[in-house]
Amino acid sequence: MNTGTGKTALITGASSGIGQELAKLFAQDGYNLVLVARSDDKLDRLAEVFKSNYGTQEITVIGKDLATEDAAQDVYNQVKAKDITVDVLVNDAGVGLYGLFATDTDWEREKAMIHLNVLTVTQMTKLFLYDMLARNEGKILNLASLLSITPTPLMAVYAGTKAYVYNFTQSLINELKDTNVTITALLPNATDTDFFNKAGAENTKVTDEVQDPVMVAKAGYDALMAGKSKVVPGGFKNKSYEVLSYVAPQETLAAVMRDKMSQKPEPEEKEPTISLAWGIGFGIAVIAGIALTIGYKNTSDFQKAKYRYKVKSAGNSLSDTLSSVLDTVVETVVDAYQNTKAKAEQIVAKTEDVEEEIAA
Ligand SMILES: NC(=O)c1ccc[n+]([C@@H]2O[C@H](COP(=O)([O-])OP(=O)(O)OC[C@H]3O[C@@H](n4cnc5c(N)ncnc54)[C@H](OP(=O)(O)O)[C@@H]3O)[C@@H](O)[C@H]2O)c1
């Protein structure tokens, strides 16, 4: 039963997917809500469910196309007119678009996507952040993506918009560091929502590995409440992808993502060779090993003992990661892979040095 916090969360994109799951978490925790999306009929039904299931006291529904000029200003004006103080802003509404940039995708849809994913997120943040700073209190959650840190052929403009969201968010975190206002970026891997259907990417390989939107929303919610700068939901596997994105050559990442974003193979199509797949897996294992080694070096003896246990149990997760990476390898990665493997071998040598240092 809702005890009511007296606080209000405004969630864009609350009519489905991750946004809807986030709205539910706020409702369960006693927040009043402002729900924004185009489908106000869906939002009205959701409001009824929240009121009856969780006793939510105040729910304001704003049906608005956020890909239109000054949409954010209009939402802000409606909120102010109702004298609502927004304590938490969630910029979730976003769309993708699938296809080759030069020849396949439609400019009008691309323009609308940039408007929604970039302009509106920026303007919403500007308007509500100003008021939060005046009160020296507030929280913002921005929906970025693992694609924020990975070049993504066949979804090039979408990935560009999410790179903007992530970079923008991390810059603001620094600007806000001496205040009580926090801003958090949520970077999900592919998630089981209507996103890929709407983007025209429903038959791509990446849709074979989607994760649960309930888990993604909970990870984002917890990170937001804790005032963290970012969160990558999905445990060790997605953390490995994140680390890999920071250190692997961009052209290698682009080739891997090109394969992930390609159409699912026909049953008779040739699968990638085992040796190549193991090579890429080896690269990931090395990177994960470096992260673990650095962590190990900087911990107390007691923590080191715990760490050794964790390393052992991480073995299973790592092998899951490796087998999932097998699916992403294509012939076009071969050249880039040779470079990566050579670099990985150098890193292994350095890692062994560090291990010897630790042992000494
Ligand atoms: N699913 C994934 O794999 C994934 C991974 C990483 C990041 N994300 C990000 O997560 C966010 C939520 O996506 P999702 O996966 O939950 O997809 P979704 O189920 O399709 O939800 C998208 C939400 O955005 C709203 N929206 C779309 N266009 C709008 C517009 N022009 N004006 C107002 N609202 C609009 C939709 O509502 P209406 O259609 O009713 O307007 C819906 O509520 C997006 O920012 C997406 O980029 C998704």
Side-chain angles (χ1 to χ4, degrees), residues 29-41:
D29 275 358
Y31 277 77
N32 294 321
L33 299 171
V34 179
L35 306 176
V36 187
R38 289 167 304 185
S39 333
D40 45 2
D41 51 337

Side-chain angles (χ1 to χ4, degrees), residues 187-227:
L187 286 76
N189 201 342
T191 304
D192 191 10
T193 68
D194 215 17
F195 173 85
F196 289 100
N197 285 331
K198 291 173 184 164
E202 62 279 4
N203 200 33
T204 51
K205 290 182 191 173
V206 72
T207 60
D208 285 338
E209 296 174 25
V210 284
Q211 55 192 357
D212 183 1
V214 175
M215 179 279 289
V216 170
K218 182 74 170 80
Y221 187 82
D222 290 347
L224 170 79
M225 290 305 164

Side-chain angles (χ1 to χ4, degrees), residues 31-62:
Y31 277 77
N32 294 321
L33 299 171
V34 179
L35 306 176
V36 187
R38 289 167 304 185
S39 333
D40 45 2
D41 51 337
K42 278 195 203 167
L43 295 179
D44 283 335
R45 285 199 297 276
L46 206 58
E48 288 313 312
V49 171
F50 289 162
K51 279 179 183 168
S52 73
N53 286 5
Y54 311 120
T56 311
Q57 287 156 13
E58 297 286 336
I59 304 186
T60 303
V61 164
I62 300 180

Side-chain angles (χ1 to χ4, degrees), residues 12-20 36-40 42 64-68 91-96 112 116-117 143-146 158 162 186-196 198 210:
T12 70
S15 63
S16 72
I18 300 167
Q20 186 176 113
V36 187
R38 289 167 304 185
S39 333
D40 45 2
K42 278 195 203 167
K64 184 78 194 169
D65 183 348
L66 294 173
T68 55
N91 283 311
D92 169 87
V95 290
L116 177 67
N117 296 8
L143 257 291
S145 166
L146 262 190
Y158 172 73
K162 291 295 163 179
L186 172 56
L187 286 76
N189 201 342
T191 304
D192 191 10
T193 68
D194 215 17
F195 173 85
F196 289 100
K198 291 173 184 164
V210 284

Side-chain angles (χ1 to χ4, degrees), residues 47-303:
E48 288 313 312
V49 171
F50 289 162
K51 279 179 183 168
S52 73
N53 286 5
Y54 311 120
T56 311
Q57 287 156 13
E58 297 286 336
I59 304 186
T60 303
V61 164
I62 300 180
K64 184 78 194 169
D65 183 348
L66 294 173
T68 55
E69 190 63 25
D70 274 334
Q73 184 71 56
D74 185 49
V75 169
Y76 179 79
N77 292 347
Q78 289 193 46
V79 167
K80 291 302 256 188
K82 288 184 189 297
D83 209 18
I84 296 169
T85 298
V86 171
D87 301 283
V88 182
L89 169 65
V90 178
N91 283 311
D92 169 87
V95 290
L97 186 60
Y98 180 79
L100 286 171
F101 174 72
T103 51
D104 292 352
T105 51
D106 172 59
W107 170 241
E108 289 306 319
R109 283 187 70 184
E110 249 146 11
K111 200 163 66 169
M113 175 170 65
I114 294 168
H115 200 122
L116 177 67
N117 296 8
V118 174
L119 282 181
T120 296
V121 169
T122 311
Q123 197 176 11
M124 289 286 285
T125 304
K126 192 163 194 76
L127 292 164
F128 287 101
L129 178 57
Y130 189 85
D131 291 349
M132 288 177 184
L133 272 181
R135 300 192 308 271
N136 196 22
E137 187 185 45
K139 293 183 181 303
I140 299 176
L141 180 67
N142 283 341
L143 257 291
S145 166
L146 262 190
L147 302 189
S148 297
I149 51 174
T150 326
T152 310
L154 296 168
M155 287 191 85
V157 178
Y158 172 73
T161 66
K162 291 295 163 179
Y164 172 88
V165 171
Y166 183 58
N167 193 302
F168 171 61
T169 304
Q170 297 307 311
S171 301
L172 291 189
I173 286 164
N174 177 273
E175 292 187 17
L176 297 171
K177 69 180 166 45
D178 297 324
T179 76
N180 291 329
V181 179
T182 62
I183 179 160
T184 304
L186 172 56
L187 286 76
N189 201 342
T191 304
D192 191 10
T193 68
D194 215 17
F195 173 85
F196 289 100
N197 285 331
K198 291 173 184 164
E202 62 279 4
N203 200 33
T204 51
K205 290 182 191 173
V206 72
T207 60
D208 285 338
E209 296 174 25
V210 284
Q211 55 192 357
D212 183 1
V214 175
M215 179 279 289
V216 170
K218 182 74 170 80
Y221 187 82
D222 290 347
L224 170 79
M225 290 305 164
K228 291 188 176 162
S229 61
K230 65 165 179 179
V231 60
V232 177
F236 186 75
K237 176 177 158 183
N238 287 338
K239 228 26 205 164
S240 302
Y241 281 133
E242 186 196 7
V243 173
L244 182 66
S245 301
Y246 295 140
V247 297
Q250 292 289 294
E251 60 271 26
T252 305
L253 291 172
V256 169
M257 291 311 295
R258 175 73 186 256
D259 181 59
K260 270 179 168 288
M261 287 296 162
S262 63
Q263 299 289 308
K264 290 177 191 173
E266 295 301 321
E268 67 274 13
E269 269 185 40
K270 199 177 138 223
E271 289 300 317
T273 65
I274 293 294
S275 62
L276 179 58
W278 269 109
I280 294 288
F282 171 74
I284 291 195
V286 168
I287 288 153
I290 291 166
L292 291 170
T293 304
I294 291 166
Y296 185 86
K297 199 182 170 195
N298 292 327
T299 53
S300 66
D301 287 346
F302 175 68
Q303 287 297 330

Side-chain angles (χ1 to χ4, degrees), residues 255 273 276 280 329-341:
T273 65
L276 179 58
I280 294 288
V329 180
V330 277
E331 301 291 336
T332 51
V333 192
V334 174
D335 289 344
Y337 153 72
Q338 298 292 1
N339 292 335
T340 306
K341 187 163 179 273

